[in-house]
Amino acid sequence: MSRKMFIKYSFLRGAGWDIKRLIMNTNKSISTYQQYLPAILQEQVFLGRFLLAFEKILSGLYETPSKEQVITAQSENVPGVEEVLEQIHLYFNPQETPEEFLPWLAGWVALSLRDDWDIDVKRAFILEVVKFYRLRGTKEGLSELLSLYLKNAKLGEKVEIFDNFTHFPHYFQVQLTLNDRDPIKYWQQAKIAQAIIEQEKPAQTFYSLKILVPTMQLTVRSEFSHTFKLFEPTEKQTFAIEVKITPSQINSSEINQLTKQLLIQLQGNSQAITLDSHETIIENQSFTLKYTLNYQHFQDNLDGFNVKLSNRTDKDFIGSLTIKLYFQINQEIYSELVTEEQINLSPVLKICSQNKEQEIIEGNTIFQQVNPPQISGMRITEYMWSQPYKFRTFTAPKIQELEPDITAIIDKIELTAIVEVTEPNQVTSDVLNKITVRLKDDVSDFHLFTPETTIENNQIRIKRILYYYQFMQTIDQLTVTLKNLNNVKVVGKVTVQVSWDTNQGQSLHQLLAKDFILEEVPTTNILQICYNHEVGIEITREIIPTILGTNSI
């Protein structure tokens, strides 16, 4: 009997069940399952101990039920399956369920959780989001949802939405008040708030986001600033499209005649345009036609323009076609290459006659050379122009959110301010960290917050993105400002660049480049945090380079 028991015990141990340890770890010596067996089997002590393994898994071995808890791999005193099933309701409670169950539970309420949300925010949104669905697209719903996020992120809960803008019927402004001025948290919360607003706002509306943080300015700094404009009002904006023809082989004396025989026609891809006149510029080996356009021409042709050519010489024309766009920013004219390609045009000759007054009368029959050459003859042509050479200028927004009579032709622009420090002789990171660079406008508090900043070698670079509804309706001009908190003079150059996306890639232009001098700031004007050591002597602890806020030092 003992040998049989040993064999059975070894088999069970190899299967993962340590019965000896199980029996030693419990006060029960006989399983309660044995009472349900036939009477003859109820007398076998080994069988009663053997059933303890199954009772532990299915029912648990504790006389009193364990407390309600979510069972995980790290749980101690794991109850039996029956008790686990009795506690399964805890997995459906957002406040109790394990973190790895939250995405699954969020799917039940049609909610997508962001990876940058804290665990408390995720739980709160799953618990509360359903009641906000009936308010989706309303001012109340957006305000409540943003308050819910800020409250659970422990950043405050003050949300204000302003929508009483007479001239902008579909515009509203969201204002959040955070209780922490940490720049990293500021930009993180700005992105999260924008995502919530984009999901909840009505499709036809557009908005601006304003975030307030507690600040107190205590430091006097030396300052340099320079103001620059962006675009003129749409009714004053003018553009020029320059079409340049460069023959492969031609004498300079033949260029004048070519301007009369190689005709050029500029038209819109979406809507025909009527141009008053054009300027002809003749050079030694090329000639150029420059057309002046207004904002309405671009507004009517968001898909761009096209150029058609007609070769009315007596031979094939081989050369290049170059198209440039001219526009104004900061009251300066800038140009950009739009397209450049090779052209090969067959000649087109018209049969003409003279009247009694010796005037040339054009007919409707032409000679047209074909390739490969065939027997000469006459034919009636369907058109006198080449196929259109199409090109696009700007990249317009896919969704227009302005007034019906205004159409944006540029989606967004990116402004970059680059500060290059040449003095003092040794430019350290400490010197650069005490220089503040901002792109300030007259209608928002954007300049109060730290923009996206890169510090490398002796340069400081900041970026700011403006969308079309900002630079077309609210922001007319900006100011680049530099402030110094160093106790040494700082000398260098500040450059402002503007870029936007075009059909050919990114367009980059320099708006201004100015030398600057920032005088040294006496230490008496710099806020310092001090403390007394054991003897009572005051010791300077840290210099605060910008603003004193709510964070403890």
Side-chain angles (χ1 to χ4, degrees), residues 54-220:
F54 299 94
E55 184 175 357
K56 179 181 180 181
I57 296 174
L58 298 177
S59 302
L61 297 178
Y62 305 98
E63 295 181 358
T64 57
S66 60
K67 63 179 181 179
E68 286 193 347
Q69 62 175 332
V70 174
I71 307 302
T72 65
Q74 289 75 34
S75 299
E76 297 181 357
N77 298 328
V78 179
V81 174
E82 293 179 357
E83 191 171 338
V84 171
L85 293 176
E86 290 178 358
Q87 299 180 14
I88 198 172
H89 63 280
L90 298 178
Y91 291 85
F92 306 135
N93 184 345
Q95 302 296 344
E96 300 286 346
T97 193
E99 183 177 356
E100 57 266 24
F101 273 80
L102 289 176
W104 170 75
L105 199 58
W108 284 35
V109 292
L111 176 66
S112 297
L113 299 178
R114 289 177 58 95
D115 293 335
D116 51 1
W117 283 0
D118 293 335
I119 182 67
D120 293 338
V121 175
K122 294 179 180 180
R123 295 185 187 278
F125 263 74
I126 295 174
L127 188 65
E128 303 286 345
V129 73
V130 172
K131 68 181 183 182
F132 292 117
Y133 285 156
R134 64 184 179 86
L135 300 174
R136 173 166 283 183
T138 66
K139 178 180 177 180
E140 179 185 358
L142 179 58
S143 177
E144 292 291 336
L145 205 60
L146 289 171
S147 296
L148 174 66
Y149 169 74
L150 292 179
K151 180 179 179 181
N152 287 277
K154 299 178 177 57
L155 295 169
E157 52 184 303
K158 186 176 180 180
V159 178
E160 296 179 271
I161 299 178
F162 308 96
D163 59 352
N164 187 20
F165 297 93
T166 305
H167 299 293
F168 309 112
H170 301 297
Y171 171 76
F172 66 95
Q173 185 181 82
V174 179
Q175 180 174 294
L176 309 180
T177 302
L178 306 183
N179 56 20
D180 195 332
R181 69 170 183 87
D182 185 350
I184 297 178
K185 289 184 179 179
Y186 169 84
W187 286 110
Q188 180 184 12
Q189 305 316 315
K191 292 179 181 178
I192 293 175
Q194 285 178 337
I196 294 175
I197 297 172
E198 288 290 344
Q199 182 174 341
E200 298 298 320
K201 75 178 186 69
Q204 77 277 12
T205 60
F206 62 103
Y207 70 96
S208 62
L209 175 62
K210 185 177 182 180
I211 300 181
L212 305 181
V213 295
T215 62
M216 180 172 61
Q217 184 74 47
L218 295 178
T219 302
V220 177

Side-chain angles (χ1 to χ4, degrees), residues 241-246 255 259 264 278-283 286-291 322 324 326:
I241 291 180
E242 182 182 87
V243 182
K244 183 176 182 180
I245 302 294
T246 305
I255 288 292
T259 60
I264 300 173
H278 61 264
E279 178 186 1
T280 302
I281 304 170
I282 300 176
E283 300 174 344
S286 64
F287 73 94
T288 301
L289 269 61
K290 197 168 187 179
Y291 300 88
T322 304
K324 282 187 177 181
Y326 291 83

Side-chain angles (χ1 to χ4, degrees), residues 243-245 307 309 319-323 339-341 343 389:
V243 182
K244 183 176 182 180
I245 302 294
V307 168
L309 305 174
S320 64
L321 168 68
T322 304
I323 300 177
T339 184
E340 185 173 19
E341 54 187 291
I343 55 176
Y389 295 91

Side-chain angles (χ1 to χ4, degrees), residues 15 31 40 56 132 151 154 218 229 273 276 308 364 381 388 402 434 480 534:
S31 171
I40 190 171
K56 179 181 180 181
F132 292 117
K151 180 179 179 181
K154 299 178 177 57
L218 295 178
K229 286 181 68 68
I273 59 177
D276 296 334
K308 293 181 180 180
N364 60 358
T381 59
L402 302 176
K434 293 178 183 177
V480 56
E534 297 177 355

